Amino acid sequence: MPIYEFKCNQCKANFEQLCRHDWHGTVSCPACGGKDLARTLSAFCSPGTGGGKNCAGCAGGNCASCK
Ligand SMILES: [Zn+2]
């Protein structure tokens, strides 16, 4: 499963978020509910790799909708 890793800028918690087409702008920190997040890693869904073709878990089969 494509997963993004986020770091909360409010409480410094790290957490992972599954790569979904509808996460953008809706992800909040599970620890404090904050929305000031920094994406620290996209292990399976890195923009710039293969033009997004290797992100099989994203909606539509590419990364265009989940960057
Ligand atoms: Zn937080």
Side-chain angles (χ1 to χ4, degrees):
M1 259 327 250
I3 293 176
Y4 285 131
E5 185 172 310
F6 290 90
K7 180 176 182 179
C8 177
N9 288 323
Q10 294 189 40
C11 70
K12 309 303 182 187
N14 290 286
F15 65 96
E16 293 177 342
Q17 172 71 36
L18 290 179
C19 181
R20 293 165 55 105
H21 71 282
D22 59 348
W23 68 262
H24 193 76
T26 65
V27 179
S28 59
C29 174
C32 73
K35 293 186 181 299
D36 185 10
L37 308 173
R39 197 173 71 193
T40 59
L41 179 68
S42 54
F44 296 93
C45 190
S46 178
T49 42
K53 291 296 184 183
N54 43 359
C55 187
C58 294
N62 63 63
C63 287
S65 57
C66 69
K67 282 179 183 176

